[in-house]
Amino acid sequence: MNKLLVFGVILRFIIPTIFPDIPDSLDSLVELSTPINSFGSLKESFFYLSNGINPYNGGINHHSPLLVSFFYNFQQLLGNNMFTIFTNFLYALVDALISLRLVKINNWYHKYNSERRGEKLYKISDDLIVSFYLFNPLMILSTLSHSTLIFSLFFTIESVYQIINGNLPRSMISLSISSYLSLTPIYLIFPILAFAHRLIKVDQLSQIYFHGSAVFITSIGLLLFFSLILTSSAEFIDQCYGTVIRFDKLQPNIGLWWYFFTEMFDFFTPFYLGVFNLFHFIFILPITIRLFEYKSHKTVGDGFLAIFLCYVWLSFTKPYPTIGDLGFSISLMPIFSGTIIPYCKLIHITGIVWLIGLLLSPILYYCWIVLGNGNANFFYSMNLLFGAVHILILIDFLWGKLVSDYCDIHKVPAKDRHTIRLTQY
Amino acid sequence: MPSQVTSYFRESEWNIVRGYRSELKKLQHLPTEELNQIAEEWLTDSGLKTSYHHGDSSSLYAIMHASRGEDTEAMVLSIPWKTSDGHFNLGGASIGMALGKYFNRMSIWSKNIIIVFTEDSHKSLRQWVEAYHTSLDKTAGSIEAAIILEYNGESDHFDYIEMWYEGLNGQLPNLDFLNTAAQIAYHENIHVSLQNTPGEKVTLNTYKQRLKVFVKGIIGLCLSGIVKPINGAESFSGWSIQAVTLKARGIKGPNDITQMGRVVDSTFRSVNNLLEKFHQSFFFYLLMSPRYFVSIGTYLPSAVLIAVSYALSSLSCLLNTNVSISSFLNSISQVLIIFTSIEFACFLTANLLPFLIFRTVTDDDKNNLVTLIIVGFSTLNIVLSTPFLWKSKYLRISSKLSYSLISFSLFFISMVITMLLILNFSLALLIGLMSLPLTFIQPILKSIDIQPSKSIESFPLMNYLNTMKPHLKLFICLFVSNPIFIIIVTGSSYLGDNGVYNLMTNLITSWNDLQCWTWYIVMLGWFPAWLTISFACLLGKFDFITSSKKLQ
């Protein structure tokens, strides 16, 4: 595993160090970069800062103030060349940390579920988990483009890991940082608290919810407060979070939102903004509740699966998604190889749909923007295909879990488990 | 509406055309630079601004700024000094000069007009177009449409117009633009010929004739950029410019030279009236005659089905043999390593060959080199297509791995076709059809694999033939699906004299000359898949089942 880790880090560090143009050119790809997470716009804000202008003027920069000042200070300290090397190293390091966290989570998940079921489940090796993350081409591209998405991913996964560790406040602080960086993970607080409910031993269960949300709100408040002091104006709130909620930056990306809002009459926009934001959130609670691990039955429900599916849902309905979001959910999938994946029926179809989407999306974008013989529908059709991949993962895993639960509740013998056909009515 | 306004490019202009023509006739043996200088003088006299672009050869262009426009859009009339047949473009150049004078007198233009004089419509025009979008100082806004005009000889009359519209890399100009030109020609009583249809057949509207144009159109689109003569419309590809080449054919017919000018004039006036871009829906079509086309919804499913058939036969490679999905997944890393190294080798070859060709100095060297390349590829084809002759005892791979390799290659071809579907339908379709024998490899191998060894016939020869039958099939399947076989067949049967040599040379050099990527698609999409499959046949141990049966 160490070898893989070193190799993955070197790959991420060496390539952009030898070819410094790669991050910039990848940053211009519509699949990898959105106004919210583009490293280019972060660097743009350095210019504002060095000239004494508020970086949130002008609507270029939508990164959180603390992130901006973190990078800005290093840039001032190290100079341009060293700063490039530093960022290359930082991104490689964060990716390595994420993969280590995934290994820990995988080990815990296997142990926990084996104990719950009282049988030895199939365990995917650490090497594979690491490779699934570090050598996932989507994650490599996302890291090489220096998308700031990866920091938010790191703090999200850290938050899950801290729950496993039994440390609720740390988990909530991580989640608050993650939400502070990119807003979307804020919705994950529900599945994560539900996850904590089963895992963290406290005298009174309501403590988890009170303490958890108190820590979360306090730390997010502190972060905002520091940002406020740092920028001495509240403009960043509008620029960082308002832009996401109001979908101000109407540019093509691989998500589902942009097309609707380009085609719509202006007076409908506020209504549909409400609808889309509601849609973004609407399945979080149902998924959390359906997969909650109730005490009444030992093996029903799966808190970590709930977090995973919520993540997939959020990635599906995000206003500014990149393929890094989708790539991360694919890197998480092998963790379930002992429990849910044996019940999944659509993995191959999902894989092929995903592959075709990946191949055709840049081509159709090229047809639309460069050749001019296609139009927005061409590119958007591939976005719908990416949406279909999310939904296929979602229904496949959810249904797989429900079948598995059914088998447990009705004590279906082991030989029939994978051939049983259940239907909904 | 096209051709509803009267074009005034008539008798009075005829004299001007004749004047330019008689002058140009005297000058036609001058080199391009001097011709350009004289033409520049004339164009400046007509009141146009001129400028040069110096690439491999120098090109002259004149800009007429529109009196009513915003100066952001332009139309191009391109006149190559040498037509695609190699003659001096006497009529075309005279019409171009006269049109320049004529356009400048009219006050109706809202889009700029650029008249370009290049050495030919191949590399020099392509270079001008590229320079126009990247480095030229004097420009006139984005080019919306372009007409390349060719009119051989000094006759005042011609029979019909040949229309060439194929762009590079499978791109087509907007059908509305072609229809406009065809409609205007129709109102001028000029017949329009597509795909080299000879004069006496242009008015035919039979099923056979339409089919011929249709099939020739598919092949032509696939070969555009790599087959001479280059018509010129290719040079405008990739910059979202609608371009068409109009060639006057014949010297006797009822049409006079000013009618050619009127077609250009009326087409420009139609484009001039456009307020928006050309409509989205008409970029994907296959023409059967100037007035009939097949739309994308009708023809695309054919190539989709071919892609699906490759995917299915890839699946059948796993399901119909003893390879289970799980063992495929176990050997996937090996498959990927082998395939990637083959792909990498192909990539090196694909880059090396053009490099070598551009390094040659004399024509003889080039000739020898290309012949060597053709012979080399053919030898490789013959050697690898006859795996039963070269079975070595060393370096064998298990039949499971070779089935996995075949399966992966077929899936790869399927993905290549899928990627090309929208970009270059013709290439996707033809690659799909021509490498179709590759899908039969697995059933043949299986029949060798589980051959009930030695069924006894009375004649030893028959016995031998029976055992050889699947091997022969294997040979045919591999042999005919190799790109070099297709190149030789197409070159020798379809393209006439020296066809194979020209096709190969142009295929290899077209990326550097015109940015036509057919060579790379062949070398990185088709050839590696073929190589992998033939290696799998060569190295695979296909006696697995027989031996396991013997054990039982």
Side-chain angles (χ1 to χ4, degrees):
Chain A
M1 190 178 90
N2 289 334
K3 267 188 211 161
L4 286 172
L5 212 58
V6 169
F7 187 59
V9 169
I10 286 178
L11 185 77
R12 285 161 162 76
F13 178 65
I14 294 290
I15 291 180
T17 309
I18 297 178
F19 308 104
D21 294 342
I22 286 186
D24 291 338
S25 52
L26 285 179
D27 195 41
S28 63
L29 289 184
V30 68
E31 283 90 356
L32 286 169
S33 138
T34 65
I36 302 300
N37 63 29
S38 147
F39 194 65
S41 68
L42 186 72
K43 282 200 279 190
E44 195 86 9
S45 64
F46 296 168
F47 179 78
Y48 281 68
L49 280 172
S50 57
N51 285 302
I53 310 169
N54 183 352
Y56 297 96
N57 274 346
I60 299 283
N61 176 35
H62 304 287
H63 298 279
S64 316
L66 290 176
L67 190 75
V68 173
S69 81
F70 172 79
F71 277 108
Y72 179 64
N73 283 324
F74 272 102
Q75 197 243 8
Q76 293 293 306
L77 201 67
L78 299 171
N80 260 332
N81 288 333
M82 282 307 286
F83 175 69
T84 320
I85 293 174
F86 164 75
T87 40
N88 294 343
F89 184 69
L90 184 72
Y91 275 90
L93 191 73
V94 172
D95 256 359
L97 287 176
I98 293 179
S99 65
L100 285 176
R101 287 290 178 258
L102 287 180
V103 169
K104 288 265 169 55
I105 289 173
N106 179 44
N107 286 338
W108 165 84
Y109 185 78
H110 173 254
K111 200 167 137 243
Y112 176 73
N113 275 295
S114 297
E115 275 169 17
R116 266 174 93 197
R117 293 176 171 277
E119 58 176 317
K120 194 106 181 82
L121 292 170
Y122 168 77
K123 179 169 180 271
I124 192 160
S125 70
D126 293 351
D127 289 355
L128 275 175
I129 291 285
V130 170
S131 339
F132 253 92
Y133 181 79
L134 283 183
F135 303 111
N136 180 342
L138 299 188
M139 293 324 288
I140 293 179
L141 284 175
S142 182
T143 309
L144 289 186
S145 77
H146 286 181
S147 154
T148 54
L149 170 79
I150 160 180
F151 300 113
S152 158
L153 288 183
F154 170 71
F155 284 110
T156 312
I157 210 72
E158 176 70 15
S159 161
V160 177
Y161 170 71
Q162 290 300 344
I163 295 283
I164 294 164
N165 236 0
N167 195 329
L168 185 64
R170 274 195 201 167
S171 160
M172 285 300 117
I173 291 170
S174 298
L175 190 66
S176 69
I177 297 175
S178 167
S179 322
Y180 168 75
L181 290 176
S182 73
L183 189 67
T184 315
I186 203 170
Y187 299 115
L188 284 178
I189 190 173
F190 300 102
I192 288 184
L193 280 180
F195 189 50
H197 181 115
R198 183 58 56 231
L199 285 178
I200 290 179
K201 308 277 175 293
V202 279
D203 305 333
Q204 197 121 42
L205 274 173
S206 58
Q207 270 181 5
I208 285 177
Y209 296 98
F210 286 124
H211 285 183
S213 33
V215 172
F216 183 78
I217 291 166
T218 317
S219 59
I220 228 171
L222 276 175
L223 286 168
L224 291 179
F225 179 64
F226 286 140
S227 314
L228 209 60
I229 294 173
L230 202 63
T231 59
S232 63
S233 81
E235 216 169 329
F236 76 91
I237 295 183
D238 189 57
Q239 286 296 317
C240 297
Y241 311 117
T243 318
V244 178
I245 292 170
R246 291 191 312 268
F247 199 63
D248 285 340
K249 289 273 169 172
L250 200 51
Q251 287 174 10
N253 56 42
I254 61 159
L256 299 174
W257 286 44
W258 64 272
Y259 188 79
F260 281 91
F261 290 100
T262 52
E263 299 288 318
M264 200 180 287
F265 290 119
D266 280 346
F267 50 85
F268 284 131
T269 308
F271 172 69
Y272 278 100
L273 274 178
V275 171
F276 271 69
N277 274 302
L278 198 65
F279 189 59
H280 192 30
F281 165 72
I282 201 157
F283 278 114
I284 300 296
L285 281 176
I287 291 174
T288 310
I289 293 167
R290 184 64 187 80
L291 294 175
F292 188 73
E293 297 173 19
Y294 295 99
K295 272 233 165 80
S296 54
H297 199 284
K298 242 172 77 182
T299 61
V300 169
D302 189 336
F304 183 60
L305 181 68
I307 297 175
F308 169 67
L309 292 183
C310 287
Y311 176 79
V312 174
W313 177 259
L314 289 176
S315 152
F316 171 59
T317 53
K318 241 182 162 180
Y320 304 99
T322 67
I323 49 171
D325 286 293
L326 181 57
F328 190 63
S329 47
I330 284 165
S331 294
L332 284 174
M333 274 160 65
I335 293 178
F336 301 98
S337 56
T339 48
I340 322 253
I341 290 200
Y343 296 94
C344 288
K345 302 259 190 295
L346 303 172
I347 297 254
H348 298 110
I349 295 172
T350 316
I352 289 192
V353 173
W354 178 65
L355 188 64
I356 289 174
L358 275 185
L359 290 176
L360 285 185
S361 159
I363 288 177
L364 295 184
Y365 187 75
Y366 176 76
C367 275
W368 172 29
I369 299 291
V370 180
L371 298 181
N373 60 6
N375 55 17
N377 302 354
F378 281 48
F379 181 60
Y380 191 66
S381 66
M382 287 304 117
N383 294 358
L384 288 177
L385 216 59
F386 281 128
V389 172
H390 283 107
I391 290 304
L392 280 172
I393 294 175
L394 206 67
I395 55 174
D396 204 19
F397 275 67
L398 203 53
W399 187 245
K401 179 63 189 164
L402 294 184
V403 172
S404 148
D405 282 357
Y406 176 90
C407 292
D408 289 340
I409 292 168
H410 294 89
K411 305 205 166 44
V412 177
K415 64 178 170 52
D416 294 336
R417 283 188 154 226
H418 298 301
T419 49
I420 190 168
R421 287 181 66 86
L422 300 180
T423 43
Q424 278 174 315
Y425 60 90
Chain B
M1 284 294 284
S3 75
Q4 276 195 337
V5 286
T6 313
S7 171
Y8 297 103
F9 194 79
R10 283 175 187 278
E11 287 72 12
S12 57
E13 307 299 313
W14 202 338
N15 294 324
I16 300 174
V17 173
R18 279 183 185 140
Y20 280 124
R21 195 174 56 202
S22 60
E23 284 299 306
L24 277 171
K25 202 185 160 194
K26 292 178 213 154
L27 304 170
Q28 58 176 302
H29 299 295
L30 292 179
T32 312
E33 281 74 20
E34 290 177 35
L35 273 174
N36 279 344
Q37 276 172 11
I38 293 161
E40 185 187 8
E41 234 169 75
W42 292 346
L43 290 165
T44 332
D45 284 348
S46 309
L48 303 175
K49 281 184 205 161
T50 54
S51 183
Y52 281 100
H53 163 247
H54 297 286
D56 286 356
S57 60
S58 82
S59 312
L60 166 75
Y61 64 100
I63 297 175
M64 191 210 77
H65 286 283
S67 43
R68 302 174 169 226
E70 293 162 353
D71 221 21
T72 53
E73 289 173 319
M75 300 173 284
V76 168
L77 174 63
S78 165
I79 318 273
W81 287 117
K82 219 164 68 187
T83 63
S84 45
D85 318 329
H87 300 292
F88 186 68
N89 192 5
L90 186 55
S94 339
I95 297 175
M97 290 290 170
L99 275 176
K101 205 180 174 88
Y102 165 80
F103 286 154
N104 205 23
R105 289 207 306 268
M106 299 215 291
S107 61
I108 51 152
W109 300 111
S110 60
K111 290 184 168 70
N112 300 330
I113 292 176
I114 306 173
I115 303 179
V116 196
F117 291 88
T118 52
E119 187 174 82
D120 54 28
S121 46
H122 186 203
K123 204 171 168 181
S124 48
L125 183 57
R126 181 75 184 167
Q127 282 179 346
W128 179 82
V129 175
E130 202 179 330
Y132 183 88
H133 291 94
T134 49
S135 63
L136 285 184
D137 285 336
K138 288 186 186 161
T139 56
S142 74
I143 302 175
E144 297 294 307
I147 294 180
I148 297 97
L149 195 63
E150 289 189 3
Y151 193 113
N152 284 337
E154 53 174 323
S155 168
D156 262 341
H157 295 277
F158 67 97
D159 286 342
Y160 61 96
I161 293 180
E162 244 178 39
M163 196 152 90
W164 293 94
Y165 55 91
E166 290 98 347
L168 289 178
N169 305 327
Q171 286 178 61
L172 293 167
N174 198 297
L175 186 58
D176 285 338
F177 182 59
L178 295 188
N179 279 343
T180 306
Q183 179 80 2
I184 289 164
Y186 174 79
H187 279 284
E188 290 284 344
N189 243 335
I190 310 173
H191 297 303
V192 174
S193 147
L194 294 176
Q195 307 299 346
N196 237 342
T197 312
E200 62 274 14
K201 285 192 182 159
V202 282
T203 46
L204 275 185
N205 190 17
T206 56
Y207 178 80
K208 208 177 136 197
Q209 181 60 27
R210 288 202 300 257
L211 185 69
K212 212 168 155 187
V213 171
F214 175 73
V215 172
K216 270 182 164 177
I218 293 181
I219 297 174
L221 196 56
C222 186
L223 293 178
S224 78
I226 51 177
V227 177
K228 291 209 160 123
I230 303 289
N231 297 304
E234 290 96 337
S235 305
F236 288 91
S237 286
W239 303 99
S240 64
I241 299 169
Q242 323 310 326
V244 67
T245 307
L246 300 178
K247 298 182 185 175
R249 285 282 179 233
I251 48 167
K252 283 206 179 116
N255 312 302
D256 71 68
I257 189 163
T258 56
Q259 272 180 296
M260 196 70 183
R262 286 207 286 276
V263 171
V264 177
D265 178 35
S266 302
T267 313
F268 273 6
R269 288 187 74 165
S270 301
V271 176
N272 186 52
N273 289 339
L274 280 183
L275 297 178
E276 294 182 30
K277 298 235 167 223
F278 282 92
H279 195 264
Q280 283 312 328
S281 319
F282 296 106
F283 281 102
F284 301 100
Y285 55 85
L286 295 170
L287 282 188
M288 297 191 294
S289 83
R291 300 180 144 227
Y292 293 89
F293 73 101
V294 184
S295 85
I296 183 167
T298 319
Y299 70 71
L300 198 66
S302 61
V304 173
L305 283 178
I306 288 178
V308 170
S309 77
Y310 276 95
L312 286 181
S313 57
S314 149
L315 200 60
S316 118
C317 252
L318 301 181
L319 299 181
N320 285 334
T321 53
N322 49 359
V323 190
S324 61
I325 298 272
S326 59
S327 75
F328 173 71
L329 289 178
N330 285 336
S331 63
I332 189 87
S333 61
Q334 255 177 311
V335 172
L336 280 177
I337 288 168
I338 294 173
F339 194 81
T340 316
S341 31
I342 289 177
E343 184 81 44
F344 187 66
C346 287
F347 177 73
L348 287 184
T349 325
N351 281 318
L352 184 69
L353 295 183
F355 176 74
L356 287 179
I357 285 190
F358 282 108
R359 288 289 292 240
T360 55
V361 187
T362 61
D363 274 358
D364 267 358
D365 281 356
K366 194 173 159 187
N367 211 331
N368 290 338
L369 182 66
V370 174
T371 318
L372 191 71
I373 291 171
I374 295 172
V375 170
F377 270 110
S378 315
T379 322
L380 191 71
N381 185 14
I382 293 171
V383 169
L384 286 178
S385 301
T386 47
F388 47 92
L389 292 180
W390 316 99
K391 287 258 168 193
S392 70
K393 293 225 167 93
Y394 321 98
L395 196 76
R396 302 291 293 275
I397 53 178
S398 70
S399 68
K400 275 188 186 181
L401 181 58
S402 46
Y403 280 132
S404 306
L405 278 172
I406 294 174
S407 161
F408 186 83
S409 311
L410 291 175
F411 188 70
F412 181 75
I413 297 183
S414 159
M415 286 298 116
V416 169
I417 295 174
T418 315
M419 279 170 74
L420 283 177
L421 275 179
I422 299 285
L423 278 178
N424 196 345
F425 166 80
S426 315
L427 195 60
L429 181 79
L430 290 182
I431 285 186
L433 285 179
M434 288 183 299
S435 47
L436 209 57
L438 290 179
T439 57
F440 305 135
I441 300 280
Q442 176 266 327
I444 297 171
L445 283 180
K446 204 180 164 198
S447 71
I448 297 176
D449 212 355
I450 50 170
Q451 206 172 39
S453 42
K454 316 304 170 234
S455 60
I456 294 130
E457 296 269 347
S458 44
F459 297 110
L461 185 66
M462 284 299 287
N463 220 343
Y464 179 71
L465 277 183
N466 265 349
T467 48
M468 283 315 285
K469 213 166 150 191
H471 288 296
L472 196 66
K473 278 191 205 161
L474 193 65
F475 167 72
I476 292 172
C477 282
L478 280 174
F479 189 74
V480 299
S481 55
N482 187 307
I484 191 72
F485 173 78
I486 308 291
I487 289 174
I488 289 176
V489 168
T490 320
S492 53
S493 67
Y494 191 72
L495 299 175
D497 287 348
N498 232 351
V500 183
Y501 169 78
N502 286 337
L503 182 62
M504 196 71 196
T505 321
N506 290 330
L507 186 65
I508 298 177
T509 56
S510 61
W511 170 258
N512 295 58
D513 287 349
L514 296 167
Q515 289 87 49
C516 166
W517 58 47
T518 314
W519 166 247
Y520 283 97
I521 285 169
V522 170
M523 280 306 280
L524 301 181
W526 181 2
F527 194 56
W530 183 88
L531 268 185
T532 314
I533 290 180
S534 54
F535 274 128
C537 297
L538 185 67
L539 302 178
K541 274 189 244 170
F542 293 107
D543 35 16
F544 181 77
I545 297 177
T546 13
S547 55
S548 65
K549 268 183 188 162
K550 271 175 203 161
L551 282 177
Q552 284 168 2

